[in-house]
Structure formats: structure tokens, C-alpha cells
Amino acid sequence: MSTASSPLPSSTTSPRRFVPFRDLREAITDVLEHRDLLQQLTLRDIKLRYKQAVMGLAWAVFMPVLIVFSGLIIRYAMAQMSGQHLVAVAVADIALKGVGWAFFVGAIGFATASLIGNMNLVTKIYFPREVLPLSTVGAQMFDSGLGVIVLAVILPFLGVRLHLSTLWAPVLFVLLILFTTAAGLALSCANLFFRDVKYIVQVVLMFGIFFTPVFFEPSMLGARGAFLVMLNPLTGILEGLRLSVIVGHNLFEPLYTVVKGVSVPEWQPWELWYSAIWSIGGLIGAGTLFRRVQPLFAEYV
Amino acid sequence: MGSGVRFDGVWKKFRRGEVHDSLRDLIPAAARHLIKNKNRPPLSDREFWAVRDVSFDVGVGQALGIMGPNGAGKSTILKLLTKILRPDRGVREVHGRMGMLIEISAGFHPDLTGRENVFLQGAIMGMKRVDIRRRFDEIVAFSEIEDFIDTPVKRYSSGMNARLGFAIAAHVDPDVLIIDEVLAVGDFRFQDKAFGRIHSMCNSGIPVVLVSHQLDRIASLCSEAILLEHGQVRLHATPSECIQEYTLGVAQAGDSTESTLSVTAMRFDAADIVMSGERIKLHVTCRSRDDFDNDVTDIVVSVRSATTGTMLFSTGAHPCRIEMPRAQEFEIDVELQANLTPGLYHVETGVWDRVSQRLVHSGPSRMLTVQPGHRPFGGSVQLNAEMSMHQSGGADAMNEPSPELIVHS
């Protein structure tokens, strides 16, 4: 037979016909085929959080509660400086946005580590690797779902009434989940190639709360500051939640507030579209990227 | 279209050394990967082909065995088959749901119970939830850990872990079966059971690919075989032809060490097939230098099981009281009695340093096939039992000679 000297390979992989979103479609059918696996992995992640844990289910509300208290301290300081009173509705604001932020932080943290944490699976058995980051997002949805239930019980006591605009909440939650999933997919594969991505993500998430209106509202930063903060895709989602659920504002309408005699936008309808584009476009991009580099995982891990 | 596996001119390259040191490396590499530049040379300086132009077809009713020395590309082919790696060139097609019979407890999570892990691992191996539920009792019964199924897996012994992993893998009901060296699962009794399971799965007619070092497993399970060498197919033929070629190749592999004595050739007097219990003759050609010393250096003739790789028997000129001459070429005739179970064996030669107690040079070796003899027996060594029977109850029964056991070494 042939000798050890390597002849040049003759055939190359046949060129594929262009189909729009081919990778994404493949990914979706693959993941749907493996939905039982996705379910099992999500279940595993949920169980592991509550097994041998001191806090048990309290863990689910621990982080939002911490966020609310930190927010209250900051808001209290701000009220003191400007000689105003801290109003009860501020608690509702921060609690609602805090649950959203806690979901994002938790899911991204777990998703980033998901491929590396399951290295032995990635190098041994084939299944669509998307299910690993997706299952961490799923597990976080369970946690945050508990948080939302607690919120639904507490908010009426803080004076929050049901409005027609409350119907925006599910839409915004879906956008939040899509955006988180997109970021989780992209970061999990980035972390597979470069291990320090995990630490970068940790730092960014730690300080991200200052760039995301959780404790404050964009309008507090003045017109230019508000615009800059609105460039954060999470702003539209979190502020949208606050305005639709707590203020009762229809998100198709702009909302202005007067700060020191100047009219500052509190809400612009484009924020909604902006966040939606980030979420959906991000998911398409991240899903395609993930599919493309997935065959390299076992080699580069 | 029926289920099956097809490899058509599959190439796979790997890189030596660290893969990526920095972002600086990755970005051009990733860009090249995405753009698929046609002008790029097929191999850069640090790359090598782990699998070169491998083609085979396995359809319904076929079982392909893949053998070859370490580093020949067996594991890479396995990973290509199971879609963990993607070929750089060529076509890899798998039709039907693939099952992997690998002692795999990779998906097990130590904090979850056996029951939870069955569902998790089953899903990882591609089983539907309803199927796992339906076959759950069978899986647990097969693994023989019924009493511990609700205990966290971290409290399991490694044997229990492996047994549960194998039991799940064995109940996937695949359309195509991929088997990696699995038979080292649990104790010998469980190994027999596992092998029986593998056998029945192979006999069910689904396409099978078996990768193994255990040549007799390939011989007994496969309809055809591939011998790999340096990532290439050296021979694609019947299992016995491949095994023959492989063991000859191994035999030619190692004789370069400088020593005062060397074994240059070894041949069997007759065929390399012998009936269990019969004697076999072989001739070993040696060459000694003028500084050769009988007290320091000796030849070795040994028999190794091709199945397990265990050394079964080893002797030399010194234990047989032969003085070897200096500065000469000479032939030593060896006669062995094949008191072995039917199967495949390696007869190996070499040079032994009696001072350091180690092999300093390995000479030629040959494959020996032992076929069932006139006196079948169980176990691994023929102890040539002799039995006679006496009616008890007679007054002089006590005076009769007792059953004797004659052992030939």
C-alpha cells in the first residue's frame, strides 16, 4: 500500500448551495430533536443548585433581594442629597428591574462556563452543543420564575396596579431571554477558546450594574446621559418593564420628564425596537457563530 | 435508505503543540476557516495528518473491525464517526441513529442519584425520555445495582459506575453501533455478560464498527476488518488476514538496539495453527558478538495472549541449560506444548539482561492460533486432568488409589 510520504489530498469538500440561515436552521432542528436532552440538562442544573445547599429555594430570591437593598441604599443617598423622600414605588422599581438583572447575570455566569464545565461530554459524545448553554439559561429561568412569582405577590402591596400596559411584561421577558441566550451562546464558545473570558465576564457583570439602569433611571443622567445609557440593549428591556408594569405607560408612546427645567426623555419607542433588534439579531448571529465553530470544540477545548 | 456508515476519502489533520497562544493566533485562523481560502497549503508546518484518505462502507449485516498500533488513528476515526470531529477532506456519512457502546459514565454527575443519572446519561446518548422510562428497569437490572439506584453516584465504586454506564449504553437501541474497547467493564462475570450483550447486538444485523486492540474480539465479532498504520488503511480484508498482517508488522517493528546478542529470525516448524494440547516447534536464529556473556545476557521466548496482552509463559536458554557460543550465528530449536485455551497468541522473542532483569531487545514475533483440541477444558490453562471412578460402598474402597492429577509444565 501507500508509503508514509503524504500524497496531497485530491478531493475537497463539495461546495454547498447557499441557503439563508442554513446554520441557524440546522441548529434549531438539531436542538428540537434533542429537546429531551435539553430538558434533562436543565433539570440537572436546577437540581444541582438545590441539592446539598444551605439556602435551598431561598437562593432564587437571595440575589434579587440583595440587589433591592443595594439599590435602596443608593436611592436613599440620592434622596438625601436632593432633599427628597424615598418613595415606596422606588422599591417596586428596583425589585422589578433587579429580578431582570439577576436573571441576566445568573444566566450569563453559568452559560459562560457551561462548555468548559462539561468538557468530558464535549470531547466524548456528540449532541448539539447548544443545549449546554441553553440549559443553564433554562435553569436560571426557573430561578427567576420563582422571583417573578414573589414579585407578583409583593408588588400590589407597594401600590402597583394592573394596567393594560402590563401586557408588555411578557413581551419584554421574552426579549430578555432571547438577549441573554444570545450572549450566553457567544460567551460560552468564546470561553472555550480563551479561558480568561470567564474572568472578563465576571468583571463586566460586576460593574455592569452601573451602566444598566437598575438602581437609577436614564432621565436622572440628563438628556445626553440618558441617550448613552439607552444604547445598552438591556435599558430598553428593564426600563420598559418598569414603565409598563409600574407606571402603566404604553411603550409605543414617548415619555418625557422635566429635570431642572429641561425636558429629558424617559422613554423613546425606538428603545423597544433597538432592544428587539439586539435580541433577535444577536440570537441569529450568536446561533450561527456557535454552529460554525462547534466542530472545532473537541479539538480546541 | 438503510442505515449505515460511509467514509469516502476522509482526511483529518491535527496540530502539534499548543493550539492557540493568543487572540492574535485565533483571529486569522478563524477567518481562514470561515473563508475557506483555496490557495492555502493543505498542511502548515506544525500540522500533520492523523487520518489519511480512509474509505470504508458498513451496511446492514456488516461488522467492521478497526485495528492498528497506538497512534495509527483509531481514536480519531472513532471521533470522526461519532461526529465529535469533522473531517478536513472527504465525506463522512452516518445514516440512522448512532449508538456508542463505550464504557461511558462521562455524563454522570456525582451529586445526582443513579436514577437521575440514568435519565441524564440516557438523554445524552440520544434516548427519548419515554424510551428511558420504558427500559429503566431493564437498565438497572443489567447493571446489578438495584439497591443503590437512589444513592448519589459519588458514593458508587468505580465498578458500579462503569456497570451503570455500560448498562445505559447497551439499551439505546441504535440503528448503527459504534463499539470502543469496552470489555474492561467490571469483574470477569460482568465482562462476560457485557460481551454477550455486545454479541447479541452485533448479531441483530445492524451495521457495527468495532475499534479494539483485542484482536480475538474483532475475529469473533466482525465480518471484515481494517488495519490502520500512520492514519492510512494498510489492509482492508477479512479479520484473520488483517490480524495476520498486523502481528507480522508488529514482529518486524523492533530490532535496532545494540546488544551483545540479537534474535534475527524466528519461524514455526509447521503451520502457525495448533490444536490445544499439541506440541509446537519453532526455530530461533540468533547472532552473538564476541563480547557476549552467557551469565549476563539470555534470549527470551515468550507467549502472550493476543486478547488481553498478558504474558502467559516465558523461558530462555539459561533455564533450559543451553550455553550459547560467542561471535556466531546459531539456531535454537524450541518445543512448546500449547496447553492453552483456543484463541490468538503471540509468540515473541527477545534478549534479556539477567543483571538488570529487563528486556533489552525485542526480536521477531509470530501469531499463533490455538484451535479446540481433543480435550476441551474451561479456564485458561490445560492442567491435563486425569480422572478415574470407583464404586463406593465396597469394603476395600479405601485401598483404591485416589484420583490422580498429572501436570505437565
Side-chain angles (χ1 to χ4, degrees), chain B residues 72-89:
Chain B
K74 296 191 300 296
S75 317
T76 309
I77 287 187
L78 205 73
K79 287 191 168 176
L80 287 165
L81 270 173
T82 53
K83 297 207 275 188
I84 290 166
L85 297 176
R86 188 162 65 177
D88 290 302
R89 319 253 163 172

mmCIF file of all heavy atoms in Angstrom, chain B residues 72-89:
data_model
loop_
_atom_site.group_PDB
_atom_site.id
_atom_site.type_symbol
_atom_site.label_atom_id
_atom_site.label_comp_id
_atom_site.label_asym_id
_atom_site.label_seq_id
_atom_site.Cartn_x
_atom_site.Cartn_y
_atom_site.Cartn_z
ATOM 1 N N ALA B 72 -2.208 5.001 15.370
ATOM 2 C CA ALA B 72 -2.482 4.741 13.963
ATOM 3 C C ALA B 72 -3.690 5.532 13.480
ATOM 4 O O ALA B 72 -3.927 5.629 12.283
ATOM 5 C CB ALA B 72 -2.712 3.252 13.737
ATOM 6 N N GLY B 73 -4.449 6.086 14.411
ATOM 7 C CA GLY B 73 -5.606 6.887 14.011
ATOM 8 C C GLY B 73 -6.944 6.272 14.380
ATOM 9 O O GLY B 73 -7.985 6.748 13.936
ATOM 10 N N LYS B 74 -6.918 5.228 15.197
ATOM 11 C CA LYS B 74 -8.179 4.560 15.559
ATOM 12 C C LYS B 74 -9.127 5.503 16.303
ATOM 13 O O LYS B 74 -10.292 5.614 15.950
ATOM 14 C CB LYS B 74 -7.898 3.336 16.444
ATOM 15 C CG LYS B 74 -7.099 2.255 15.766
ATOM 16 C CD LYS B 74 -7.079 0.982 16.594
ATOM 17 C CE LYS B 74 -6.471 1.161 17.975
ATOM 18 N NZ LYS B 74 -5.048 1.529 17.945
ATOM 19 N N SER B 75 -8.591 6.165 17.306
ATOM 20 C CA SER B 75 -9.470 7.044 18.102
ATOM 21 C C SER B 75 -9.968 8.207 17.273
ATOM 22 O O SER B 75 -11.097 8.654 17.448
ATOM 23 C CB SER B 75 -8.729 7.595 19.308
ATOM 24 O OG SER B 75 -7.988 6.590 19.895
ATOM 25 N N THR B 76 -9.122 8.698 16.382
ATOM 26 C CA THR B 76 -9.550 9.806 15.535
ATOM 27 C C THR B 76 -10.698 9.357 14.644
ATOM 28 O O THR B 76 -11.682 10.080 14.480
ATOM 29 C CB THR B 76 -8.369 10.304 14.689
ATOM 30 O OG1 THR B 76 -7.268 10.542 15.543
ATOM 31 C CG2 THR B 76 -8.730 11.563 13.954
ATOM 32 N N ILE B 77 -10.588 8.155 14.092
ATOM 33 C CA ILE B 77 -11.671 7.651 13.249
ATOM 34 C C ILE B 77 -12.943 7.491 14.069
ATOM 35 O O ILE B 77 -14.041 7.836 13.631
ATOM 36 C CB ILE B 77 -11.249 6.321 12.586
ATOM 37 C CG1 ILE B 77 -10.239 6.636 11.491
ATOM 38 C CG2 ILE B 77 -12.451 5.571 12.048
ATOM 39 C CD1 ILE B 77 -9.843 5.478 10.643
ATOM 40 N N LEU B 78 -12.771 7.022 15.286
ATOM 41 C CA LEU B 78 -13.918 6.871 16.177
ATOM 42 C C LEU B 78 -14.594 8.219 16.405
ATOM 43 O O LEU B 78 -15.815 8.344 16.372
ATOM 44 C CB LEU B 78 -13.425 6.309 17.509
ATOM 45 C CG LEU B 78 -14.434 5.556 18.331
ATOM 46 C CD1 LEU B 78 -14.696 4.211 17.690
ATOM 47 C CD2 LEU B 78 -13.906 5.360 19.730
ATOM 48 N N LYS B 79 -13.770 9.255 16.624
ATOM 49 C CA LYS B 79 -14.336 10.578 16.882
ATOM 50 C C LYS B 79 -14.934 11.175 15.616
ATOM 51 O O LYS B 79 -15.882 11.959 15.690
ATOM 52 C CB LYS B 79 -13.273 11.505 17.466
ATOM 53 C CG LYS B 79 -12.976 11.137 18.905
ATOM 54 C CD LYS B 79 -12.144 12.158 19.614
ATOM 55 C CE LYS B 79 -12.145 11.859 21.101
ATOM 56 N NZ LYS B 79 -11.294 12.754 21.859
ATOM 57 N N LEU B 80 -14.385 10.821 14.470
ATOM 58 C CA LEU B 80 -14.977 11.275 13.210
ATOM 59 C C LEU B 80 -16.323 10.596 13.014
ATOM 60 O O LEU B 80 -17.302 11.210 12.591
ATOM 61 C CB LEU B 80 -14.045 10.965 12.044
ATOM 62 C CG LEU B 80 -12.794 11.835 11.927
ATOM 63 C CD1 LEU B 80 -11.790 11.196 10.982
ATOM 64 C CD2 LEU B 80 -13.160 13.226 11.439
ATOM 65 N N LEU B 81 -16.358 9.299 13.331
ATOM 66 C CA LEU B 81 -17.594 8.532 13.192
ATOM 67 C C LEU B 81 -18.690 9.099 14.065
ATOM 68 O O LEU B 81 -19.837 9.211 13.644
ATOM 69 C CB LEU B 81 -17.350 7.084 13.647
ATOM 70 C CG LEU B 81 -16.883 6.082 12.616
ATOM 71 C CD1 LEU B 81 -16.532 4.784 13.308
ATOM 72 C CD2 LEU B 81 -17.977 5.837 11.596
ATOM 73 N N THR B 82 -18.340 9.436 15.286
ATOM 74 C CA THR B 82 -19.359 9.882 16.229
ATOM 75 C C THR B 82 -19.622 11.376 16.126
ATOM 76 O O THR B 82 -20.277 11.946 16.990
ATOM 77 C CB THR B 82 -18.956 9.533 17.670
ATOM 78 O OG1 THR B 82 -17.647 10.055 17.902
ATOM 79 C CG2 THR B 82 -18.938 8.057 17.883
ATOM 80 N N LYS B 83 -19.094 12.007 15.074
ATOM 81 C CA LYS B 83 -19.366 13.410 14.769
ATOM 82 C C LYS B 83 -18.763 14.384 15.770
ATOM 83 O O LYS B 83 -19.135 15.548 15.803
ATOM 84 C CB LYS B 83 -20.882 13.677 14.658
ATOM 85 C CG LYS B 83 -21.516 12.913 13.518
ATOM 86 C CD LYS B 83 -22.740 13.620 12.999
ATOM 87 C CE LYS B 83 -23.974 13.300 13.780
ATOM 88 N NZ LYS B 83 -25.193 13.829 13.193
ATOM 89 N N ILE B 84 -17.850 13.897 16.609
ATOM 90 C CA ILE B 84 -17.191 14.817 17.532
ATOM 91 C C ILE B 84 -16.179 15.656 16.759
ATOM 92 O O ILE B 84 -16.003 16.836 17.020
ATOM 93 C CB ILE B 84 -16.534 14.039 18.681
ATOM 94 C CG1 ILE B 84 -17.621 13.463 19.562
ATOM 95 C CG2 ILE B 84 -15.605 14.932 19.489
ATOM 96 C CD1 ILE B 84 -17.153 12.423 20.503
ATOM 97 N N LEU B 85 -15.529 15.046 15.778
ATOM 98 C CA LEU B 85 -14.620 15.781 14.904
ATOM 99 C C LEU B 85 -15.209 15.816 13.501
ATOM 100 O O LEU B 85 -16.003 14.955 13.131
ATOM 101 C CB LEU B 85 -13.252 15.092 14.860
ATOM 102 C CG LEU B 85 -12.478 15.025 16.164
ATOM 103 C CD1 LEU B 85 -11.195 14.228 15.967
ATOM 104 C CD2 LEU B 85 -12.150 16.419 16.663
ATOM 105 N N ARG B 86 -14.785 16.824 12.748
ATOM 106 C CA ARG B 86 -15.257 16.946 11.375
ATOM 107 C C ARG B 86 -14.071 16.718 10.445
ATOM 108 O O ARG B 86 -13.000 17.268 10.683
ATOM 109 C CB ARG B 86 -15.829 18.333 11.152
ATOM 110 C CG ARG B 86 -16.521 18.475 9.810
ATOM 111 C CD ARG B 86 -17.419 19.668 9.801
ATOM 112 N NE ARG B 86 -16.666 20.915 9.930
ATOM 113 C CZ ARG B 86 -17.247 22.111 9.882
ATOM 114 N NH1 ARG B 86 -18.539 22.210 9.737
ATOM 115 N NH2 ARG B 86 -16.526 23.193 9.984
ATOM 116 N N PRO B 87 -14.256 15.909 9.391
ATOM 117 C CA PRO B 87 -13.108 15.669 8.514
ATOM 118 C C PRO B 87 -12.688 16.947 7.785
ATOM 119 O O PRO B 87 -13.529 17.794 7.482
ATOM 120 C CB PRO B 87 -13.618 14.605 7.528
ATOM 121 C CG PRO B 87 -15.091 14.631 7.641
ATOM 122 C CD PRO B 87 -15.441 15.159 8.996
ATOM 123 N N ASP B 88 -11.377 17.072 7.526
ATOM 124 C CA ASP B 88 -10.905 18.214 6.755
ATOM 125 C C ASP B 88 -11.217 18.022 5.280
ATOM 126 O O ASP B 88 -11.474 18.969 4.562
ATOM 127 C CB ASP B 88 -9.404 18.387 6.957
ATOM 128 C CG ASP B 88 -9.093 18.864 8.357
ATOM 129 O OD1 ASP B 88 -9.615 19.929 8.720
ATOM 130 O OD2 ASP B 88 -8.369 18.179 9.084
ATOM 131 N N ARG B 89 -11.111 16.781 4.835
ATOM 132 C CA ARG B 89 -11.446 16.463 3.449
ATOM 133 C C ARG B 89 -12.275 15.193 3.446
ATOM 134 O O ARG B 89 -12.159 14.372 4.346
ATOM 135 C CB ARG B 89 -10.181 16.188 2.624
ATOM 136 C CG ARG B 89 -9.048 17.100 2.889
ATOM 137 C CD ARG B 89 -8.873 18.036 1.746
ATOM 138 N NE ARG B 89 -8.061 19.150 2.186
ATOM 139 C CZ ARG B 89 -7.602 20.082 1.372
ATOM 140 N NH1 ARG B 89 -7.881 20.023 0.100
ATOM 141 N NH2 ARG B 89 -6.880 21.066 1.839
#
